[in-house]
């Protein structure tokens, strides 16, 4: 009975705050995404496919990570040189894991909605990754395709 209502992403701050059910609908959305994240995590383990964007299912407080290259100390953005112009040697530092929530805590904060929307995009990219590994095409990576793509993947497992 849970739905992924992508309108939560699009609603503006005033409309969200005026709606008495806004907190309840965003909690239902977070719960549904938590279920989807858990299913995805289990399928990735079952098929032995390491996900490009690691998913951490934690009920209605699940999140997904993106790896961002970290800037090494003493290097600037141009050509890997330190402040004195000397080229730096050695391997680049490991990328940082940046967490993106599959839930919205502060519905009125634009930054939170942007991070949430990006998390759903990454979740869909992971579903698409597993579908493609089995020769199946995803319907798309927009938020309203999450359940359709997951359903297609589960039908394949059957």
């Amino acid at each position: 009975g849970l739905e992924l209502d992508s309108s939560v992403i699009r609603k503006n701050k005033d409309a969200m705050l005026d709606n008495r059910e806004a907190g309840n609908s965003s909690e239902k959305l977070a719960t549904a995404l938590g279920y989807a994240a858990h299913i995805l995590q289990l399928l990735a383990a079952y098929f032995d496919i390491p996900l490009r964007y690691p998913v951490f299912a934690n009920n209605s407080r699940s999140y997904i990570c993106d790896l961002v290259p970290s800037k090494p100390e003493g290097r600037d953005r141009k050509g890997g040189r330190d402040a004195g112009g000397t080229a730096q040697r050695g391997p680049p530092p490991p990328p940082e894991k940046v967490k993106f929530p599959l839930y919205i805590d502060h519905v009125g904060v634009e930054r939170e909605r942007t991070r949430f929307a990006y998390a759903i995009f990454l979740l869909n990219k992971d579903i698409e990754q597993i579908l493609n590994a089995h020769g199946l095409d995803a319907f798309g990576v927009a938020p309203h395709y999450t359940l359709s793509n997951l359903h297609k993947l589960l039908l394949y497992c059957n």
Side-chain angles (χ1 to χ4, degrees), residues 101 103-117:
Y103 58 90
I104 297 179
D105 268 344
H106 309 289
V107 291
V109 180
E110 183 64 32
R111 182 175 182 268
E112 289 297 317
R113 287 198 321 256
T114 302
R115 291 173 53 79
F116 172 69

Side-chain angles (χ1 to χ4, degrees), residues 60-71:
S60 64
R61 293 297 174 257
S62 300
Y63 62 92
I64 192 164
C65 291
D66 192 2
L67 299 177
V68 178
S70 39
K71 181 181 171 190

Side-chain angles (χ1 to χ4, degrees), residues 87-152:
Q88 296 291 314
R89 298 184 192 269
E96 297 178 36
K97 277 187 181 179
V98 179
K99 296 178 183 179
F100 293 93
L102 289 165
Y103 58 90
I104 297 179
D105 268 344
H106 309 289
V107 291
V109 180
E110 183 64 32
R111 182 175 182 268
E112 289 297 317
R113 287 198 321 256
T114 302
R115 291 173 53 79
F116 172 69
Y118 188 62
I120 294 175
F121 173 77
L122 295 179
L123 183 72
N124 284 320
K125 291 301 284 182
D126 276 347
I127 295 170
E128 182 182 42
Q129 176 189 353
I130 295 177
L131 283 168
N132 291 340
H134 295 288
L136 302 170
D137 290 327
F139 295 114
V141 292
H144 59 276
Y145 290 123
T146 305
L147 292 181
S148 300
N149 288 334
L150 200 54
H151 183 254
K152 187 174 190 176

Side-chain angles (χ1 to χ4, degrees), residues 49-91:
I49 297 174
L51 294 173
R52 169 72 174 93
Y53 307 104
V55 176
F56 298 91
N58 188 20
N59 301 322
S60 64
R61 293 297 174 257
S62 300
Y63 62 92
I64 192 164
C65 291
D66 192 2
L67 299 177
V68 178
S70 39
K71 181 181 171 190
E73 291 184 30
R75 291 187 184 188
D76 65 10
R77 294 184 185 263
K78 296 180 181 176
R81 298 182 180 277
D82 65 13
T86 308
Q88 296 291 314
R89 298 184 192 269

